[in-house]
Amino acid sequence: MKHVYGWLLLTPAAILLIGFTHYPAAATLLDSFFSTGTAVRPSRFVGLDNYAALAEDPVFWQVLGNNFWFALGTIPTAIAIAIVMAIWVNDRLPARALVRMAYFTPTVLPMIAVANLWLYFYTPQIGLLDKLGALLFDAPSHNWLGDPDLVLPATMVMVVWKEAGFFMIFYLAALQSLPPELEEAAKIEGASRWYYFRRVTFPLLMPTTLFVLVNATINSFKLVDHLFILTKGGPDNASSLLLYYIYQVAFSFFDTTYAATLTVVLLVLLAALAIVQFLLIERRVHYR
Amino acid sequence: MKRIVGLLAALLMVAAAPAQAQTELTFYYPIAVGGPLTKVIDGYARDFEKENPGIKVNPVYAGNYDDARIRALAALKAGQSAPLSVLYSIDIYELIEQDVIVAWDDVATSAEDKAWLKAFYPALMMNGTYKGKVYGIPFQRSTIVLYWNKDAFKAAGLDPEKPPANWNEMTQMAAKLVQKDAAGNVTRWGVMVPSTGYPYWMFQAFARQNGQDLMNRDGNRTNYAHPDVIGALDYWVSLGRKHKVMPEGTIEWGTLRQAFTEGKTAMMWHTTGNLTAVKTTAKFPFGVAMLPASKQRGSPTGGGNFYLFKKTTPAERKAALAFVKWLTAPERAADWSMATGYVATRADAYETLKLKAYAKEFPQAVVARDQFQYATPELSTFQTGRVRKALDDAIQAALTGQKTPAAALKAAQAEAERLLKPYR
């Protein structure tokens, strides 16, 4: 009887989870073994053909590489900036609430709005960046979004700007839960601020760092909204990311089964990353 | 309490009764140019309803062309009724392959209807016709024109009333129009051609001017690697790399209009769909001209057509036909053209009093029409998304210096060949 009661309690959550997560994932996997059907040529089983096509698709490898650099460029930077900001606004300083709010503002904005703002920051000549550069340094105009070497870093800066404030909130909460005696003890012992941060604060923040790391990693694969506004993945796929490519394949090329194949790759990648993060890093996380 | 509920129910039934007798016409439409166009479309819908009490029109703004296609197809799959949609003119092969649209010929059967189908500019019908049947009725149609800043021309010692007529003139004039500050940084470029969003479209103009079309009429062959097509891309790339009259790298479609109205480029190639927006924001006199020629003049048409979906009741088809006919009547076509800068889709629209008066005071408005004789249909094939993207990537790779024009276009042609072989 107790079992029945337990299962009943679980049912609503289970239905949602199965309906919107597990079933689509399984269906995606299944779809990836079929060819895309049209009215003229119905869908048929093709085994691993889609995966073979994927291995030979240069755009896939390019967007995967882009995603790697994108993750590497945004995650550590956003985390570092978030910690610095959190420590800064955790101190007593004038207008503390205002500063905190200012740091948090980018998080509240929708990504599409952010991208529209930054599109004008980055616009050559008439954009904010070029105008400032010309005013302060007499710098020549840069084609930020039109140069394959600059475009990915340019989008990374924007994403860091957007994300860091969000992570700051978590660090701020964690910092406020640290017992003040630790800092007093460190002061009595004569430890420098840097030493205290390195040996006490940072290790104690590890659980938060793990949480933020997982979120940041997922976001680096999930956040593609800006591409619709800024670059459409261009020039020549230089700023395209895996999820944006999936969108193009599914809705611009109408190749739904190849899109499913790409999605399976994304799922496997994210699952692997999650496992690595939880198994390896968790061992080094200090819990109080 | 019960009485109130009963009353409400009765009210609802009264309200619902006439709605059942009405035919509801939901249609999705995209907007890819500047200006408050949703208001204009909503206004048309209300006017039409007033004249046709049996039909209720719900226009749904659906983002850009890609978004609109996705929304319309998703609505179809979900079983919602969207009998009609304005979608990209070049989606025709895709929609036919998915078997979701019907030809207008099947609905427009009366003599009057048939005359209506023939009333549009032939250049605008090329993207809407497949195997002799009309699937797309031109609505928000555009073409590429050259905008030039007359003040900049004057300042550079050029005749402000004489735009470049060919590639050589454009390069030479652009060189004179480039302006630099004391530090040697460019403050005004000679010419800009956008290369994000729709690079293939701009490139079609270059290729056509150099004597080549990029695809055949059956939509199953491309011509990306012809020497003259490569020559066209060579010229585009040379404007930035060799002549230094255009910024290197890609140029953003969405912000180019501002760059022009802020005086950061003396000439730009852009869609006529932006004409009204440029007119309202430019603080200097500007001209609009046909694109310059190499071997000949040329520009692709572009924009959106009305498609009729297969999953429709006879009543919906009738209503859709009535609405589209009403919306494309000469008076409305003229009005729409003035509100947007899109071309009026039929010759008799230019004979209406208001468009005649408008053209007299603002001759820029009729340049697009005059260019129709050199028009070529917009790039559209089977597997159009991929075939187009192969070309887009090639153009961007060449403009950013990652590949030579020849290498980029040959790779794109090989990719297109692979994709289109099954359709021959």
Side-chain angles (χ1 to χ4, degrees):
Chain A
M1 196 57 213
K2 250 188 176 169
H3 279 299
V4 175
Y5 189 60
W7 279 109
L8 276 177
L9 282 176
L10 276 177
T11 311
I15 288 175
L16 287 177
L17 203 61
I18 290 170
F20 291 103
T21 309
H22 297 149
Y23 167 71
T28 301
L29 183 66
L30 199 67
D31 276 352
S32 72
F33 299 123
F34 286 84
S35 70
T36 299
T38 63
V40 195
R41 291 179 301 171
S43 176
R44 62 187 172 84
F45 183 78
V46 293
L48 291 175
D49 277 10
N50 282 327
Y51 291 88
L54 180 127
E56 285 175 17
D57 180 357
V59 180
F60 165 70
W61 291 108
Q62 194 183 351
V63 296
L64 199 64
N66 286 348
N67 227 319
F68 172 76
W69 290 115
F70 186 73
L72 208 68
T74 54
I75 298 168
T77 331
I79 290 180
I81 292 175
I83 292 179
V84 172
M85 290 196 306
I87 291 175
W88 161 250
V89 300
N90 194 32
D91 274 346
R92 258 175 243 289
L93 64 130
R96 189 167 67 168
L98 206 70
V99 179
R100 285 182 184 175
M101 198 184 71
Y103 281 157
F104 193 63
T105 312
T107 306
V108 189
L109 300 174
M111 195 61 177
I112 295 292
V114 168
N116 271 308
L117 282 177
W118 283 73
L119 178 62
Y120 281 93
F121 289 179
Y122 283 136
T123 300
Q125 293 176 305
I126 51 176
L128 180 73
L129 231 53
D130 267 9
K131 281 209 162 149
L132 274 181
L135 202 70
L136 301 176
F137 312 108
D138 257 346
S141 156
H142 284 93
N143 195 349
W144 299 102
L145 300 176
D147 182 331
D149 297 327
L150 291 177
V151 65
L152 197 59
T155 56
M156 287 197 252
V157 169
M158 187 193 74
V159 168
V160 168
W161 176 82
K162 167 122 174 72
E163 295 256 275
F166 183 55
F167 300 146
M168 177 199 76
I169 291 293
F170 296 106
Y171 279 113
L172 193 59
L175 281 175
Q176 288 177 352
S177 68
L178 294 187
E181 301 88 57
L182 290 174
E183 192 171 3
E184 285 162 20
K187 268 188 187 148
I188 293 166
E189 298 284 337
S192 71
R193 272 196 82 155
W194 169 241
Y195 187 83
Y196 171 72
F197 171 77
R198 193 163 57 88
R199 301 305 295 259
V200 181
T201 314
F202 189 68
L204 285 174
L205 288 177
M206 268 316 253
T208 309
T209 305
L210 175 69
F211 172 79
V212 167
L213 192 63
V214 171
N215 268 294
T217 311
I218 294 171
N219 275 355
S220 71
F221 284 92
K222 199 174 72 178
L223 268 186
V224 294
D225 314 18
H226 58 284
L227 294 177
F228 288 88
I229 305 292
L230 286 180
T231 63
K232 303 214 167 27
D236 191 19
N237 302 310
S239 65
S240 191
L241 299 173
L242 187 52
L243 188 58
Y244 185 74
Y245 185 51
I246 293 175
Y247 167 84
Q248 279 186 322
V249 170
F251 296 111
S252 177
F253 307 165
F254 294 109
D255 195 345
T256 45
T257 60
Y258 188 57
T261 315
L262 288 163
T263 309
V264 169
V265 172
L266 179 63
L267 278 178
V268 169
L269 211 67
L270 282 177
L273 278 170
I275 289 169
V276 168
Q277 285 177 334
F278 277 111
L279 291 186
L280 290 184
I281 304 175
E282 189 143 280
R283 277 199 218 146
R284 300 173 51 111
V285 169
H286 294 247
Y287 281 108
R288 278 155 284 153
Chain B
M1 189 64 204
K2 250 186 191 162
R3 266 168 66 185
I4 296 176
V5 172
L7 204 71
L8 273 175
L11 267 174
L12 275 174
M13 274 163 74
V14 171
Q20 272 172 352
Q22 270 189 345
T23 307
E24 201 153 321
L25 204 58
T26 299
F27 78 95
Y28 295 93
Y29 68 96
I31 291 180
V33 297
L37 297 191
T38 46
K39 260 190 221 151
V40 179
I41 301 245
D42 286 342
Y44 288 150
R46 298 296 86 82
D47 289 350
F48 176 76
E49 283 171 352
K50 254 178 244 154
E51 291 174 32
N52 300 270
I55 304 171
K56 187 172 168 353
V57 183
N58 307 322
V60 182
Y61 166 61
N64 64 21
Y65 283 112
D66 282 338
D67 304 335
R69 173 183 56 216
I70 291 161
R71 282 193 67 174
L73 289 179
L76 278 181
K77 275 194 180 154
Q80 283 172 18
S81 124
L84 191 68
S85 259
V86 179
L87 299 177
Y88 224 160
S89 61
I90 54 178
D91 284 339
I92 178 170
Y93 293 105
E94 204 68 57
L95 295 169
I96 288 172
E97 202 181 359
Q98 297 209 7
D99 198 24
V100 290
I101 52 173
V102 287
W104 286 96
D105 309 66
D106 300 348
V107 189
T109 43
S110 74
E112 185 213 336
D113 291 345
K114 280 188 180 143
W116 167 68
L117 283 177
K118 295 223 159 37
F120 301 97
Y121 282 110
L124 295 177
M125 299 308 275
M126 288 189 283
N127 272 120
T129 315
Y130 177 68
K131 294 200 170 155
K133 281 192 166 183
V134 176
Y135 287 86
I137 298 294
F139 175 56
Q140 45 187 58
R141 297 301 297 271
S142 53
T143 173
I144 307 167
V145 287
L146 180 133
Y147 295 76
W148 86 94
N149 180 336
K150 291 186 177 171
D151 281 355
F153 269 57
K154 224 181 276 173
L158 294 165
D159 179 357
E161 299 306 327
K162 194 174 159 291
N166 56 51
W167 287 6
N168 279 337
E169 280 183 28
M170 189 169 85
T171 322
Q172 285 161 9
M173 286 178 171
K176 284 190 190 145
L177 288 160
V178 173
Q179 209 174 42
K180 291 182 179 168
D181 63 10
N185 297 327
V186 175
T187 54
R188 184 181 67 211
W189 292 96
V191 60
M192 286 196 197
V193 179
S195 41
T196 69
Y198 315 92
Y200 70 92
W201 198 48
M202 292 289 152
F203 184 58
Q204 272 193 282
F206 283 108
R208 174 75 170 181
Q209 288 154 17
N210 221 14
Q212 292 299 315
D213 278 331
L214 293 181
M215 82 287 185
N216 66 352
R217 287 290 149 86
D218 289 330
N220 59 15
R221 244 176 239 283
T222 58
N223 184 30
Y224 295 168
H226 189 283
D228 286 343
V229 175
I230 293 172
L233 188 53
D234 272 330
Y235 175 67
W236 190 356
V237 170
S238 77
L239 289 172
R241 183 115 340 117
K242 191 170 144 216
H243 302 297
K244 310 277 180 201
V245 295
M246 192 168 84
E248 286 194 57
T250 56
I251 293 168
E252 167 60 33
W253 165 279
T255 53
L256 177 56
R257 195 184 78 220
Q258 274 84 351
F260 178 74
T261 55
E262 300 261 322
K264 298 299 177 192
T265 178
M267 293 184 273
M268 70 164 177
W269 289 23
H270 221 308
T271 165
T272 48
N274 263 328
L275 182 57
T276 304
V278 171
K279 187 187 173 206
T280 47
T281 48
K283 291 179 204 76
F284 48 82
F286 71 95
V288 171
M290 288 189 221
L291 294 180
S294 169
K295 290 178 179 160
Q296 62 188 44
R297 288 192 188 266
S299 167
T301 62
N305 280 345
F306 267 110
Y307 293 99
L308 182 60
F309 288 107
K310 207 165 206 172
K311 238 163 75 186
T312 35
T313 63
E316 281 172 338
R317 288 188 187 187
K318 231 178 108 189
L321 179 68
F323 179 62
V324 175
K325 268 175 74 180
W326 183 89
L327 201 55
T328 53
E331 284 288 317
R332 232 88 49 201
D335 195 62
W336 175 242
S337 173
M338 281 152 55
T340 55
Y342 282 122
V343 293
T345 48
R346 45 201 291 179
D348 44 7
Y350 286 97
E351 299 304 318
T352 58
L353 286 176
K354 51 181 160 183
L355 198 48
K356 263 188 168 162
Y358 185 67
K360 209 171 201 178
E361 150 215 358
F362 188 57
Q364 288 92 326
V366 292
V367 171
R369 175 197 62 181
D370 299 339
Q371 196 175 236
F372 273 154
Q373 51 181 311
Y374 308 107
T376 175
E378 187 169 9
L379 180 62
S380 169
T381 62
F382 284 98
Q383 292 282 320
T384 199
R386 278 209 166 100
V387 171
R388 197 166 61 217
K389 177 136 171 38
L391 181 62
D392 281 349
D393 288 351
I395 294 166
Q396 293 190 338
L399 285 172
T400 54
Q402 292 173 305
K403 288 181 188 166
T404 64
L409 285 172
K410 277 177 187 158
Q413 175 66 17
E415 168 79 359
E417 275 293 297
R418 187 181 68 76
L419 291 165
L420 291 177
K421 232 174 215 159
Y423 295 90
R424 288 170 197 158

